[in-house]
Amino acid sequence: MRSACIITMHCPLNYGAILQTYALQTYLESLGLNVRVIDYRPEYAVCDQHLMYVGSEKYKNNFFSRWAYRFLKAPSKIARIRKFGRFAKNELHLTPVYETYEEICEAHLNADFFFCGSDQIWNIVSGSHKDPSYFLDFVPAGKKRISYAASGNLPVSDEVRNITFPMINKIDCISMREDSTIATIQPFINKHIVHVCDPVFLLKDGEWRELYKKHSSFKPTEKYVLVYPMGNGEENTMDHAFKCAKQMNLPLYRISASIRKDGRVDKQFNVTPYDFLVLIDNAECIVTNSFHGTSFSIILQKQFWTCEAEGSNQRIVSILSKAGLLKRMIDKNRIIDYSEKCNFEQAAQKLKEHISRSKAFIQSSINE
């Protein structure tokens, strides 16, 4: 049996990161490959999981505020690490843990195909754009290197030109997730970059439902609006979610590990990746500024609204455009009727070709 290794951003405590890893692994297995996920955990990707980590600038400079922050965050953080660890243990075929590029090189991993991608592996914000691990530099000669739906913020700076582009040019088959990034960097890459979908779209809605039903007995007992806010756009997303819930006369549920309470939220959940899917699949409407929150709303055909989010708009606009659902993006100056329905039949038809091309890219990459 032919084999493959995947290296991706699977280790952040982020639903999209771990679910896209599962999706790529599962799809490659459906092609008859024996698949392992390289359990690469560089410090810059997992530093916020340490109990001593203080993320907020306003708490860092004072001894008492630092320790209060750590004390209050610890129970939620520990619970989240356990929830994601359970999913990884159940669903991902992981190698031993490697913390540095040198450790991966020393492991002499063997496979017929090596995949890098998807979620945010080439990003100047995290520094992953300089990490040779995420460009498969450790792969021995004669083995095929493939990027699938690689994603990241790559402005054409001197650093990116001198460090990142030469590593991309060593990859045999190159695909990326955002069409706008492809347009920016293609002039500097000596192979054609194929535009493909995020791995979560490689699986059908029934496959995602089957996944969560295997391990979750959680079932909401009432209708609700769901909000999944992230990062800098959280407050704007919360505002629209509250308005949506009020217009629909439904309680507001929130997915968040935050210890901060919001009086507008009726129930808040720090859930497993399985129950993340449950909450999306049972919602009457979803309001989010997350790429994967948007993506799973489309896959599971749930009514949704997507808010602008700094650093995420590029990838969200890309998938909404492909699905013909750009009107679901809320800009700051637009008055919204939250009861307006999505045309999922049309969206499915538009995405069908994109998904088919993405699968064809993988199949041709391993069969050439």
Side-chain angles (χ1 to χ4, degrees):
M1 178 183 285
R2 295 186 300 174
S3 59
C5 280
I6 299 167
I7 189 165
T8 185
M9 284 276 186
H10 72 290
C11 55
L13 303 180
N14 175 281
Y15 299 108
I18 201 165
L19 290 171
Q20 63 85 18
T21 306
Y22 169 82
L24 183 55
Q25 172 190 276
T26 302
Y27 180 70
L28 292 178
E29 288 177 337
S30 76
L31 300 179
L33 299 177
N34 180 26
V35 183
R36 289 183 299 162
V37 175
I38 299 171
D39 200 356
Y40 181 47
R41 297 173 177 268
E43 178 63 17
Y44 64 82
V46 297
C47 60
D48 62 344
Q49 297 175 32
H50 303 321
L51 294 182
M52 297 297 286
Y53 175 82
V54 178
S56 176
E57 289 295 330
K58 66 180 180 181
Y59 299 123
K60 283 182 178 179
N61 297 325
N62 180 278
F63 174 84
F64 295 104
S65 63
R66 278 201 309 274
W67 279 98
Y69 179 93
R70 290 164 179 158
F71 179 77
L72 291 171
K73 288 281 286 186
S76 173
K77 186 176 288 189
I78 291 169
R80 197 167 178 87
I81 289 169
R82 287 175 176 167
K83 288 177 170 73
F84 277 75
R86 176 190 167 208
F87 183 93
K89 182 178 179 181
N90 287 343
E91 309 300 343
L92 302 183
H93 310 318
L94 295 169
T95 67
V97 173
Y98 307 112
E99 296 181 353
T100 65
Y101 170 68
E102 290 73 23
E103 288 180 359
I104 297 178
C105 291
E106 291 167 4
H108 301 294
L109 295 168
N110 186 38
D112 298 296
F113 309 102
F114 288 83
F115 285 82
C116 60
S118 158
D119 204 43
Q120 293 292 289
I121 59 166
W122 299 345
N123 196 325
I124 63 165
V125 176
S126 67
S128 60
H129 72 297
K130 298 184 290 185
D131 188 338
S133 304
Y134 288 120
F135 297 86
L136 303 172
D137 263 24
F138 58 86
V139 174
K143 302 296 185 179
K144 199 159 195 180
R145 308 177 190 194
I146 304 162
S147 79
Y148 182 76
S151 178
N153 178 18
L154 286 178
V156 184
S157 63
D158 288 342
E159 183 179 60
V160 169
R161 283 173 184 258
N162 296 329
I163 298 175
T164 309
F165 291 160
M167 291 193 291
I168 295 176
N169 276 318
K170 294 178 186 177
I171 298 172
D172 298 302
C173 304
I174 308 170
S175 69
M176 296 190 72
R177 193 174 69 182
E178 284 83 45
D179 45 6
S180 55
T181 306
I182 294 173
T184 300
I185 75 169
Q186 182 66 83
F188 306 94
I189 305 303
N190 57 27
K191 302 178 188 74
H192 174 62
I193 305 174
V194 179
H195 181 213
V196 296
C197 63
D198 187 271
V200 298
F201 288 95
L202 298 174
L203 304 186
K204 295 180 180 178
D205 57 346
E207 293 174 279
W208 288 114
R209 291 188 174 104
E210 183 181 348
L211 171 66
Y212 77 67
K213 287 176 181 177
K214 280 194 306 181
H215 293 284
S216 176
S217 58
F218 174 52
K219 177 74 174 177
T221 58
E222 62 182 346
K223 293 182 177 181
Y224 57 91
V225 169
L226 179 68
V227 59
Y228 177 42
M230 294 184 70
N232 294 331
E234 179 175 338
E235 190 54 42
N236 182 48
T237 306
M238 289 301 305
D239 288 343
H240 282 287
F242 177 67
K243 292 174 185 175
C244 179
K246 189 173 182 181
Q247 180 180 327
M248 298 181 73
N249 196 29
L250 291 174
L252 181 60
Y253 287 11
R254 178 183 179 183
I255 296 175
S256 176
S258 174
I259 59 174
R260 287 176 292 145
K261 302 300 180 184
D262 189 319
R264 298 169 293 184
V265 174
D266 294 278
K267 291 183 181 180
Q268 181 160 301
F269 300 89
N270 179 15
V271 291
T272 67
Y274 303 113
D275 291 342
F276 169 80
L277 295 170
V278 174
L279 282 166
I280 287 182
D281 201 22
N282 286 275
E284 294 300 304
C285 188
I286 295 126
V287 182
T288 186
N289 62 346
S290 152
F291 171 82
H292 282 106
T294 301
S295 297
F296 279 109
S297 299
I298 295 170
I299 292 167
L300 298 172
Q301 298 197 355
K302 307 302 297 185
Q303 300 301 324
F304 74 95
W305 294 97
T306 299
C307 298
E308 293 181 336
E310 185 179 336
S312 298
N313 286 343
Q314 188 183 56
R315 54 188 184 269
I316 291 173
V317 168
S318 184
I319 190 59
L320 289 178
S321 180
K322 279 290 182 186
L325 292 171
L326 271 173
K327 288 185 177 179
R328 307 309 290 189
M329 188 86 169
I330 302 175
D331 61 44
K332 293 176 182 176
N333 302 315
R334 186 170 156 212
I335 298 173
I336 299 296
D337 175 6
Y338 298 100
S339 64
E340 185 182 323
K341 302 296 184 184
C342 301
N343 187 337
F344 283 117
E345 185 177 344
Q346 184 182 76
Q349 282 300 118
K350 287 179 175 290
L351 284 174
K352 185 177 180 180
E353 184 180 348
H354 186 41
I355 294 168
S356 295
R357 282 198 305 268
S358 302
K359 291 179 176 180
F361 168 81
I362 294 175
Q363 292 169 21
S364 65
S365 297
I366 65 176
N367 291 325
E368 281 179 353

